[in-house]
Amino acid sequence: LPLLLPIFLLIVFLIKLESPNGPVIFKQERTGKNGNRFKMYKFRSMVPNADELKTELAHLNELKWPDFKITNDPRVTRVGNILRKTSLDELPQLLNVLKGDMSLVGPRPTSFAPGTYALWQTARLDVMPGITGLWQIIGRAETEFDERLRLDIAYIDHRCLWLDIQILFR
């Protein structure tokens, strides 16, 4: 973390420069191991009222429920666009790792409650969620929920230190 501090400070400055009244860190309830809910941290990459605008933009959703994705989402800021493309918006999740809510590699924690999952999908809740995982390096945001879950379960079935190193490297 001390090595990343200058990058953190630069990102904070750029977010505040573009949107002085909004928060720098975005906190969202996520579902982790055993279905436990926790607050996940990210650098804010959208306008401060992005959640409120989501209902207005629901008709543009390109993925099946429970996912939400819009190509060229109008809620994403200029700085946020760069942060997302480089995944720098994910850096505050290192705090989640230090807190014990997440690991470096594992299934990405979802924003929806454990009750949203079908029984076969709950296997992904057996392990600690990660900052990155198999589906991030294979499909990123274009992958539908069921396919991501299949990749998460494949990761769980084959997880080992060498696989984690390969995922982190990619």
Side-chain angles (χ1 to χ4, degrees), residues 7 17 24-25 57 61 80 85 99 103-104 110 120 130 137 139:
I7 296 170
L17 186 65
V24 171
I25 299 292
L57 300 170
N61 186 17
K85 283 182 181 173
K99 286 176 58 182
S103 63
L104 293 176
T110 58
W120 73 270
I137 63 171

Side-chain angles (χ1 to χ4, degrees), residues 2 13 15 24 26 39 56 66 82 94 99 114 118-119 121 162-163:
F13 173 75
I15 291 171
V24 171
F26 173 73
K39 287 218 183 295
E56 293 175 28
I82 295 166
L94 291 171
K99 286 176 58 182
L119 184 59
Q121 299 169 333
W162 179 239
L163 179 58

Side-chain angles (χ1 to χ4, degrees), residues 13-125:
F13 173 75
L14 292 173
I15 291 171
K16 277 300 189 185
L17 186 65
E18 184 173 42
S19 179
N21 296 327
V24 171
I25 299 292
F26 173 73
K27 295 176 232 161
Q28 187 179 47
E29 284 284 316
R30 295 290 179 114
T31 300
K33 186 174 180 179
N34 299 322
N36 294 325
R37 303 284 280 168
F38 67 96
K39 287 218 183 295
M40 187 181 83
Y41 308 113
K42 294 176 88 167
F43 282 120
R44 183 175 54 81
S45 61
M46 293 187 168
V47 294
N49 64 336
D51 280 340
E52 298 160 20
L53 297 173
K54 191 174 180 179
T55 53
E56 293 175 28
L57 300 170
H59 67 285
L60 299 174
N61 186 17
E62 300 165 9
L63 298 175
K64 288 188 258 176
W65 185 89
D67 286 325
F68 188 85
K69 167 133 176 45
I70 302 171
T71 303
N72 300 319
D73 193 325
R75 301 171 302 158
V76 177
T77 64
R78 288 184 316 247
V79 171
N81 196 30
I82 295 166
L83 294 175
R84 286 172 165 228
K85 283 182 181 173
T86 58
S87 295
L88 289 172
D89 61 324
E90 311 285 349
L91 281 177
Q93 290 166 39
L94 291 171
L95 299 172
N96 289 111
V97 172
L98 291 175
K99 286 176 58 182
D101 295 327
M102 295 175 69
S103 63
L104 293 176
V105 180
R108 285 291 292 165
T110 58
S111 58
F112 36 86
T116 307
Y117 293 94
L119 184 59
W120 73 270
Q121 299 169 333
T122 59
R124 78 184 310 274
L125 301 176

